[in-house]
Amino acid sequence: MNEQSGPPAVEVEVDSGRARAPRGRLLRTLALDLLTVERDPLPRMSRPRWLARLPHVAVVYAALFFGFLTTEQMSDHYNDQGGVPLVAAILTGAAIVLAMFRPIAGWWLGLLAAGVVAWSIHDNVGDGQSWPWLPAGIIAFAPVLLLVALRVPPRLTVVAVTVPIALTGLAELLFKPEHSQSSVLGALLLFGFVGLLGYALRATRLARGKLVEQETITEEERARRTLLEERSRIARELHDVVAHHMSVISIQAQVAPHLVENPSEELKENLAGIRENALEALTELRRVLGVLRSEQPDDPANPHHPQPTLAELEGLVDNVRGAGLAVTTEIAGIRRPLTPGVELTAYRIVQEALSNCLRHAPGSRVEVGIAYGPRELHLCIANSAPTRPAPPSHGAGHGLLGMRERAGMLGGELAAGPRPDGGYEVSAVLPMDPETKKG
């Protein structure tokens, strides 16, 4: 029987040792936290800005008020004369101010001030007067606890609340003057409430900060995703444009020898090399960008849907008019065909701008202006103020990113912003020849 009962006893000792280890580390951590005097300033108010320092002003006012009240109560109610009331008042006010910048240091100084007050008035406590806390002293320590609870972890807040309550009970148990009134219950209720209030405010502040941080991250991720989607769309459209021209080059190189009477072998070889290079480039292009097609096989930018140009602008405007928006167009300069990339980019910018007008400015009047310059194409899409509220939008809200990406790809520029009349304007400048612009 004894031999069988030996091993379980050893296991119990090992398990209890393991249980004591985390507890010991926790106590050491709390002790180190209570001994720290690190600077942790009270944050300013974010809104309104002109009241940013209001909490600090309120704390300083509380320090002056409770310092004066401590001196007055010690002198008048406890008949404690001399320099000690002045020292206690300075310590009380300094503890509150110090807690704004170094909460744990202010907490220690507040305990020291309470100890000085309790020692000084001990022999002067009358019938029914509170001890070891002054009526003003117990309230003066509450701001210190609140400033601590706002900026330290919850476990340290529990310690900061428990220690003064425990010291109050111990002092009354060992040194309580005769006929004095107990202040343990008042300390328990007031300090416990202040600790819970500080914990709740700190948790709310941290949660709000995490929410703002998460919203910022989400907004950045949404913008990045929108930008990548737009780049993928541009890549698919460029695939169509480049693939079409490479195919034309290949066919022309194949047909060219039959258009020349008695072509030389050197000409045939050069044309064959041109066709071979065109086919190889076309194959590589389809291999690199083919995955973009496979991800969205129903995308309008597929080989069965020719890329739109400014020649189809009237059809686009008619569709927008059919949706209930008043749109007028004006074209200046000599209208002429442009490179496929510029045509496509200009069409997409106008398309996105008109879509934004439909979503965000219902009932407005829209003017679409296109000006053909000697070297640049100017676009301007402007709408007046909406005449009815816009419905809630479920989109990403980053259409301008795509427009800027398209304009920048060609070496152009795009600007957008509100107008003085309450409307909105999008303007873009695209080079007629992107290669010349780039060079």
Side-chain angles (χ1 to χ4, degrees):
M1 295 290 291
N2 294 336
E3 294 177 357
Q4 294 178 358
S5 61
V10 174
E11 293 179 2
V12 172
E13 291 177 1
V14 173
D15 291 342
S16 63
R18 291 176 179 174
R20 284 194 298 268
R23 193 176 300 117
R25 286 196 294 268
L26 177 60
L27 292 176
R28 285 195 298 271
T29 302
L30 288 175
L32 291 175
D33 289 340
L34 284 175
L35 294 176
T36 183
V37 290
E38 291 183 357
R39 180 178 173 84
D40 187 6
L42 182 68
R44 295 184 295 177
M45 292 179 61
S46 57
R47 295 178 183 178
R49 291 185 177 180
W50 63 279
L51 290 179
R53 290 292 184 180
L54 180 61
H56 303 77
V57 174
V59 170
V60 172
Y61 175 80
L64 295 174
F65 174 77
F66 284 115
F68 171 79
L69 199 59
T70 298
T71 304
E72 191 271 336
Q73 287 190 356
M74 290 180 68
S75 302
D76 295 348
H77 296 271
Y78 290 84
N79 197 25
D80 189 358
Q81 306 297 329
V84 177
L86 179 60
V87 173
I90 293 175
L91 291 176
T92 300
I96 298 175
V97 174
L98 182 60
M100 276 199 304
F101 306 99
R102 302 179 187 271
I104 298 301
W107 179 78
W108 280 112
L109 189 59
L111 289 180
L112 176 61
V116 170
V117 170
W119 165 78
S120 180
I121 66 173
H122 181 272
D123 297 333
N124 299 325
V125 178
D127 188 17
Q129 291 183 318
S130 63
W131 189 90
W133 291 96
L134 289 174
I138 194 171
I139 301 176
F141 193 70
V144 177
L145 273 182
L146 181 61
L147 292 171
V148 171
L150 285 173
R151 286 169 291 161
V152 300
R155 64 175 184 272
L156 197 55
T157 298
V158 173
V159 175
V161 171
T162 304
V163 168
I165 296 175
L167 291 177
T168 301
L170 184 62
E172 290 190 0
L173 182 64
L174 299 178
F175 308 107
K176 186 174 184 293
E178 208 174 328
H179 306 301
S180 64
Q181 183 179 351
S182 174
S183 54
V184 172
L185 182 59
L188 177 63
L189 294 177
L190 180 60
F191 296 166
F193 171 76
V194 170
L196 288 175
L197 177 62
Y199 167 77
L201 292 176
R202 178 178 183 270
T204 302
R205 177 170 57 87
L206 292 178
R208 187 181 295 114
K210 289 290 184 182
L211 180 61
V212 172
E213 180 182 354
Q214 189 61 40
E215 287 178 349
T216 302
I217 295 175
T218 302
E219 186 70 17
E220 292 176 353
E221 289 295 331
R222 186 184 297 119
R224 188 179 297 110
R225 184 171 61 251
T226 302
L227 189 59
L228 291 176
E229 290 174 356
E230 187 64 26
R231 287 183 176 180
S232 297
R233 185 180 178 187
I234 293 172
R236 290 192 297 271
E237 294 173 347
L238 285 177
H239 171 269
D240 288 345
V241 174
V242 176
H244 168 73
H245 287 285
M246 295 302 292
S247 299
V248 172
I249 292 173
S250 174
I251 294 173
Q252 289 177 338
Q254 184 179 10
V255 175
H258 302 285
L259 302 178
V260 180
E261 185 177 356
N262 298 324
S264 63
E265 292 298 326
E266 183 179 359
L267 177 61
K268 290 181 180 180
E269 291 179 0
N270 287 335
L271 292 174
I274 293 174
R275 181 173 184 274
E276 182 178 352
N277 289 332
L279 291 176
E280 183 178 353
L282 186 59
T283 301
E284 290 295 329
L285 180 65
R286 285 173 175 167
R287 182 181 295 116
V288 172
L289 300 181
V291 64
L292 298 174
R293 292 249 178 255
S294 63
E295 289 177 355
Q296 297 184 7
D298 297 330
D299 192 282
N302 63 48
H304 304 288
H305 293 77
Q307 297 303 327
T309 64
L310 289 177
E312 304 174 36
L313 181 63
E314 287 301 324
L316 174 64
V317 172
D318 289 340
N319 289 335
V320 175
R321 287 173 180 154
L325 205 63
V327 184
T328 59
T329 60
E330 183 176 353
I331 299 177
I334 302 176
R335 190 169 185 172
R336 57 191 184 275
L338 308 173
T339 60
V342 176
E343 290 272 6
L344 178 60
T345 297
Y347 182 90
R348 292 299 189 200
I349 290 176
V350 175
Q351 183 184 43
E352 180 63 29
L354 291 176
S355 298
N356 287 340
C357 293
L358 283 172
R359 285 194 298 265
H360 305 298
S364 64
R365 298 184 307 276
V366 184
E367 298 177 358
V368 178
I370 301 177
Y372 290 82
R375 297 182 180 179
E376 295 176 328
L377 178 69
H378 296 262
L379 305 174
C380 181
I381 304 92
N383 63 273
S384 62
T387 58
R388 56 181 183 269
S393 176
H394 302 287
H398 294 286
L400 289 175
L401 281 175
M403 289 192 280
R404 286 196 177 96
E405 185 75 8
R406 289 179 177 276
M409 179 186 67
L410 299 177
E413 297 179 353
L414 185 138
R419 303 176 68 186
D421 61 354
Y424 202 83
E425 180 176 327
V426 176
S427 60
V429 179
L430 305 178
M432 291 288 190
D433 187 350
E435 293 182 356
T436 303
K437 180 73 175 177
K438 184 178 179 180

